[in-house]
Amino acid sequence: MTSTVHVLRHPQARLLLTATLISGFGTSALWLASGIWVKDLTGSNGLAALCLLAMWAPGLAGPALGTLADRVPRKPLLIATNLLLGALLTTLTGIDSPADLWLLLTLLVLYGTAGVVTDAAESALVAGSLPPALLGDFNGLRMTANEGMKLLAPLAGAALYSTHGGPAVAVLDSATCLAAAALHTRLNPRTADPTATPPPTPTPTSTPAPRTPWRAQIAEGTRHLRRHALLHVLVRTAGLTMLIAGVNGALTYAVVENLHHAPAYAGTLAAAQGAGTVALGLFSGRALRRLGARRFAAAGVALTAAAIALRAIPSDPAALACAAATGVGLPCPLVAAFTTVQRETPDALLGRVSATASTLMFAPNVVGLAAGAALVELLPLGPLLIALGVTLLAALAHSPLIARRTASRSPSDANPT
């Protein structure tokens, strides 16, 4: 807990965490409300799941979008992206029929695009501002601030939607984007932007020349991840977990229907998952230091698999418990991977490496959401959930993440600080 206090006392960390908290509130409210919105307009579980797919899809372009964070000054990039997103969200106030569905989905794609850019820029800024030993604590708290909004935002978004409709939720989210932009104006990171000052120890393999083609710079992130044994294993494991989690996420409204609740009950499940993530964020840094990245990630994957399979039980207490367990387990491989990226990547590459890692971890989630949107209409819910959990556990059992030979190749994992 001492490390958490040190992170909260750091001025740049506090600003970024506060901005994440505010923008995360708007994001969580919008993703839930958009699904309910589409469900009410069309009556289709599959189309409601497409809202999540639209927000995740831009992650496929992560390497290219993340390179912006290495070519453009990061602080102005954060401010401009939030201001633009805040303005675009106001266009959703005119949606009132199924014919307007294309506008909502288009805005959700743009929303996801902005999220990829800001995540890469923030990850690079914090890596240069905090001591390496505190990065795990910060990433845990950042995920807590982001995902922990599921405690309040989905319920608030569902309540606002029920009383004033979807346009009111869009206006709320627009306001949170503008507030985040205002907070970013106060950032004063210790490490200068790579566009302003060259890195202190440039090398031919880590720092691209000023006129290096865009494609070559994008490829640097992939090469760095491929060469690093521990990062390769962590990112691959997180990607597989997110693939299964994507299918599971697309089944949410079917689970709610199986429990005989209205679609808005999805907000209650999201709140339970947020509670689990809040709990994880408070001890993730300490657990990461004690267990190492491999074992920390493996424990989270195992817990997630069990929670997905047990979600097949048609019971409110079981559904809430599984949602909370997913909130604890699912972020573990992500925190382990992102923290290792920040610790072992040169500053000049951090934007594109972070975004490339995000793509490799979250792109499978897009595939999973698409597959889940189709499977939910074709297969019975209970057997499908059990099959997903068993598949993830079987994959973990055969993963190099838990093999002893991985530890011998990854000394940084034995002492992640």
Side-chain angles (χ1 to χ4, degrees), residues 11 150 171 181 183 186 194 228 245 248 280 359:
K150 292 177 181 177
V171 171
L183 286 170
R186 300 173 57 192
H228 197 293
N248 178 61
L280 172 75
T359 295

Side-chain angles (χ1 to χ4, degrees), residues 74-123:
R74 290 160 183 162
K75 176 180 172 179
L77 181 63
L78 285 171
I79 296 170
T81 302
N82 277 286
L83 289 176
L84 177 61
L85 190 58
L88 290 174
L89 281 166
T90 60
T91 63
L92 297 181
T93 56
I95 294 178
D96 58 6
S97 72
D100 299 322
L101 181 60
W102 69 271
L103 178 59
L104 175 59
L105 293 177
T106 300
L107 259 294
L108 291 176
V109 170
L110 293 175
Y111 198 103
T113 301
V116 174
V117 173
T118 55
D119 282 349
E122 288 179 352
S123 180

Side-chain angles (χ1 to χ4, degrees), residues 2 7 11 121 124 183 190 228 395:
T2 303
V7 172
L183 286 170
R190 184 181 64 196
H228 197 293

Side-chain angles (χ1 to χ4, degrees), residues 1 3-4 136-137 279-297 299 332 335-336 343 413 416-417:
M1 205 56 112
S3 298
T4 300
D137 300 273
L280 172 75
L282 296 177
F283 66 81
S284 61
R286 182 177 179 181
L288 189 58
R289 286 188 291 272
R290 176 181 290 270
L291 298 176
R294 290 186 306 109
R295 285 184 292 173
F296 180 72
C332 290
V335 170
R343 285 171 176 161
D413 184 41
T417 59

Side-chain angles (χ1 to χ4, degrees), residues 113-413:
T113 301
V116 174
V117 173
T118 55
D119 282 349
E122 288 179 352
S123 180
L125 283 174
V126 74
S129 300
L130 283 176
L134 295 180
L135 289 176
D137 300 273
F138 176 86
N139 287 325
L141 288 173
R142 185 172 182 268
M143 191 162 287
T144 293
N146 193 18
E147 298 297 323
M149 280 296 96
K150 292 177 181 177
L151 284 169
L152 299 175
L155 295 176
L160 185 61
Y161 176 86
S162 298
T163 56
H164 296 89
V169 181
V171 171
L172 170 66
D173 197 13
S174 175
T176 63
C177 290
L178 298 179
L183 286 170
H184 288 144
T185 62
R186 300 173 57 192
L187 286 173
N188 185 26
R190 184 181 64 196
T191 299
D193 280 313
T195 55
T197 304
T201 55
T203 64
T205 58
S206 64
T207 306
R211 295 186 181 181
T212 301
W214 182 275
R215 289 184 180 179
Q217 294 190 36
I218 293 173
E220 285 287 342
T222 304
R223 284 197 293 269
H224 179 76
L225 290 173
R226 188 188 303 125
R227 290 192 298 257
H228 197 293
L230 175 60
L231 275 177
H232 180 74
V233 171
L234 289 173
V235 170
R236 186 172 64 183
T237 300
L240 173 63
T241 305
M242 293 303 292
L243 171 66
I244 301 298
V247 180
N248 178 61
L251 306 180
T252 294
Y253 291 99
V255 169
V256 170
E257 189 175 286
N258 192 46
L259 294 171
H260 307 292
H261 289 293
Y265 186 73
T268 303
L269 296 179
Q273 184 171 335
T277 304
V278 167
L280 172 75
L282 296 177
F283 66 81
S284 61
R286 182 177 179 181
L288 189 58
R289 286 188 291 272
R290 176 181 290 270
L291 298 176
R294 290 186 306 109
R295 285 184 292 173
F296 180 72
V301 173
L303 180 59
T304 301
I308 291 174
L310 294 173
R311 205 180 186 200
I313 301 174
S315 160
D316 280 8
L320 292 170
C322 289
T326 301
V328 174
L330 185 58
C332 290
L334 303 176
V335 170
F338 280 124
T339 301
T340 307
V341 165
Q342 290 170 328
R343 285 171 176 161
E344 306 201 13
T345 303
D347 179 73
L349 292 176
L350 260 174
R352 75 202 80 168
V353 172
S354 295
T356 300
S358 293
T359 295
L360 294 175
M361 290 187 287
F362 293 121
N365 188 259
V366 178
V367 177
L369 286 168
L375 292 173
V376 71
E377 305 287 354
L378 301 174
L379 299 176
L381 179 63
L384 179 56
L385 287 167
I386 294 172
L388 290 174
V390 170
T391 299
L392 185 56
L393 278 176
L396 176 63
H398 293 86
S399 169
L401 189 71
I402 59 175
R404 290 183 180 275
R405 63 179 181 272
T406 304
S408 65
R409 291 200 307 267
S410 306
S412 58
D413 184 41

